[in-house]
């Protein structure tokens, strides 16, 4: 099968298209023919082994490979069709159309991927194509998790810092579906997309700081690693929640060890990525509450170009790769 591998950490040039044996599912595993997979910031960060927050460098390096990558095929999220099942599999059947997360197993940037039936996989939404669906699991799973942690109430004012990325664009949609009024902060390249997703106000971070404005919020969500902890807390109303999706070590310590004034809370909690959340996302998609946000679909052999687009943020929406095409 066609697969993209990397044998050393580095720039997009370390990615190679290669022929590899098609994986064989064990008793409790399913073989999925990958129809589409997102290329995420996480793929680029693992490929280069460079992260905007550094505290997990050592534990992650031990898992991913100290001297070279232990798992040569990247890709954390996929959508496709179950083509073979192990003898003990009872959750899936051949022909099921699924979407979900590969977790730390990775392996989505190939024609086939093998996953345990206990993986975060669920039936794909009926009203999205495979390419559109590929843009959902990373952003959708994280956004749903964070918005539930934030306990959004109808009418809440929500500020989304870094709203134009894969996670932020889903946060905008999910917060709106919960009845929030959303202000987005991002690069002006993302403004049109974010307005189409229904944000009430857009703040261009390259020209002004959201903290210099008079507006106050019930919830601040930030995926920007370098965001100022004090500024994010400072724009909250009393009792407001600050949700950190990309927290630095010092921010986690501050959130754990100090009490914010006026009943404000700082929350960081990594997404568990559950099957129930995938099922909830599918229902939201089928009800029209989450729409596709795919910028470009590229054939798998153009994976290096896909990584460059994601790394440079030269996109408004997801960059998706499709195996089996030249
Ligand atoms: N906590 C978790 O469980 C979790 C899970 C998955 C991923 N992550 C992490 O989250 C990050 C990826 O998230 P993503 O794909 O949604 O985002 P992303 O692709 O990194 O995009 C973030 C957006 O923020 C904008 N931005 C950059 N600096 C900004 C600033 N100072 N103020 C406001 N906006 C700014 C970027 O615009 P520009 O074009 O100007 O750069 C971009 O549009 C990765 O670092 C990943 O490791 C965390």
């Amino acid at each position: 099968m066609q697969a993209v591998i990397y044998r050393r950490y580095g720039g997009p040039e370390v990615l190679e298209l290669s022929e590899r044996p098609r994986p064989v599912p064990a008793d409790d595993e399913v073989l999925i023919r990958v129809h589409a997979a997102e290329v995420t910031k996480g793929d680029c960060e693992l490929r280069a082994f460079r992260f905007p927050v550094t505290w997990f460098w050592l534990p992650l390096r031990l898992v991913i490979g100290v001297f070279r990558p232990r798992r040569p095929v990247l890709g954390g999220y996929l959508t496709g069709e179950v083509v073979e099942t192990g003898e003990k599999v009872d959750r899936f059947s051949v022909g099921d159309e699924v979407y979900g997360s590969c977790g730390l197993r990775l392996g989505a940037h190939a024609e086939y991927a093998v996953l345990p039936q206990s993986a975060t996989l669920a039936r794909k939404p009926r009203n999205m194509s495979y390419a559109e669906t590929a843009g959902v699991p990373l952003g959708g799973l994280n956004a749903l998790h964070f918005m539930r942690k934030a306990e959004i109430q109808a009418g809440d004012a929500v500020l989304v810092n870094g709203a134009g990325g894969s996670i932020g664009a889903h946060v905008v949609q999910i917060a709106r579906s919960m009845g929030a009024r959303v202000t987005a902060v991002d690069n002006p390249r993302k403004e049109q997309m974010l307005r189409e997703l229904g944000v009430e106000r857009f703040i261009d971070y390259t020209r002004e700081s959201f903290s210099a404005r008079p507006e106050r919020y019930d919830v601040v969500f930030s995926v920007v690693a370098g965001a100022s902890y004090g500024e994010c807390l400072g724009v909250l109303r009393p009792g407001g929640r600050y949700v950190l999706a990309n927290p630095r070590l010092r921010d986690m310590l501050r959130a754990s060890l100090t009490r914010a004034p006026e009943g404000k809370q700082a929350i960081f909690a990594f997404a568990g990525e559950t099957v129930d959340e995938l099922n909830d996302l599918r229902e939201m998609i089928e009800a029209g509450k989450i729409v596709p946000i795919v910028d470009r679909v590229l054939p798998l052999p153009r994976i290096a170009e896909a990584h460059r687009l994601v790394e440079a943020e030269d996109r408004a929406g997801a960059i998706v790769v499709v195996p089996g095409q030249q």
Side-chain angles (χ1 to χ4, degrees):
M1 68 165 184
Q2 197 183 55
V4 174
I5 62 167
Y6 73 133
R7 300 174 213 262
R8 61 190 168 89
Y9 300 114
E13 68 284 354
V14 303
L15 300 166
E16 302 167 35
L17 192 67
S18 78
E19 271 302 315
R20 291 173 67 81
R22 182 168 144 166
V24 178
D27 283 355
D28 64 339
E29 290 179 334
V30 293
L31 180 69
I32 298 165
R33 184 153 83 85
V34 180
H35 282 262
E38 183 173 357
V39 174
T40 68
K41 254 310 156 44
D43 291 317
C44 299
E45 290 167 356
L46 285 174
R47 187 210 69 233
F49 219 85
R50 228 182 16 235
F51 305 91
V53 284
T54 49
W55 57 267
F56 54 74
W57 196 97
L58 185 60
L60 196 61
R61 187 82 177 203
L62 294 174
V63 174
I64 298 296
V66 175
F67 299 108
R68 67 187 70 83
R70 206 175 272 149
R71 294 198 168 274
V73 183
L74 288 166
Y77 300 88
L78 54 71
T79 177
E81 188 185 342
V82 174
V83 290
E84 209 178 313
T85 58
E87 273 181 17
K88 293 189 182 142
V89 170
D90 51 14
R91 257 191 78 209
F92 297 101
S93 308
V94 168
D96 284 352
E97 296 184 332
V98 294
Y99 81 130
S101 167
C102 306
L104 278 178
R105 271 192 174 218
L106 305 171
H109 296 164
E111 267 179 293
Y112 293 90
V114 84
L115 287 174
Q117 68 161 340
S118 58
T120 308
L121 282 176
R123 182 170 62 72
K124 156 191 172 293
R126 257 189 288 269
N127 56 340
M128 274 191 186
S129 67
Y130 278 119
E132 290 169 341
T133 303
V136 175
L138 159 71
L141 284 166
N142 279 282
L144 188 59
H145 164 80
F146 289 121
M147 289 303 94
R148 285 180 171 163
K149 285 273 168 207
E151 297 182 7
I152 304 272
Q153 308 293 316
D156 274 356
V158 176
L159 179 93
V160 183
N161 192 32
S166 303
I167 299 174
H170 283 89
V171 165
V172 167
Q173 300 190 70
I174 291 170
R176 284 199 70 238
S177 80
M178 293 172 165
R181 292 171 296 115
V182 179
T183 296
V185 188
D186 211 300
N187 189 297
R189 277 180 300 183
K190 311 288 171 73
E191 179 171 359
Q192 192 190 336
M193 172 186 80
L194 289 164
R195 295 236 181 245
E196 284 166 12
L197 295 179
V199 303
E200 271 186 14
R201 196 179 297 129
F202 178 84
I203 301 173
D204 170 0
Y205 84 88
T206 65
R207 293 168 62 97
E208 68 173 313
S209 164
F210 63 81
S211 63
R213 296 169 64 117
E215 294 87 12
R216 293 294 175 264
Y217 305 90
D218 301 291
V219 172
V220 171
F221 167 88
S222 181
V223 72
V224 177
S228 156
Y229 189 92
E231 285 178 17
C232 289
L233 273 189
V235 298
L236 280 177
R237 293 179 178 145
R241 286 85 66 202
Y242 168 32
V243 182
L244 298 88
N246 222 352
R248 291 169 294 195
L249 184 59
R250 68 169 185 264
D251 294 339
M252 290 192 291
L253 290 172
R254 212 166 149 185
S256 310
L257 302 175
T258 62
R259 187 186 285 259
E262 301 177 301
K264 297 176 187 180
Q265 286 177 64
I267 304 166
F268 64 89
F270 298 94
E273 301 198 334
T274 67
V275 173
D276 285 347
E277 287 167 336
L278 270 185
N279 285 327
D280 291 345
L281 286 168
R282 182 185 58 248
E283 280 175 22
M284 295 171 91
I285 291 167
E286 291 179 351
K289 294 175 179 169
I290 296 177
V291 299
I293 47 147
V294 173
D295 178 315
R296 255 162 289 185
V297 180
L298 298 173
L300 191 61
R302 286 170 63 187
I303 188 97
E305 182 183 341
H307 273 239
R308 287 189 187 98
L309 290 168
V310 174
E311 216 154 39
E313 274 304 320
D314 186 7
R315 58 173 179 153
I319 303 293
V320 168
V321 286
V322 179
Q325 286 182 16
Q326 294 305 311

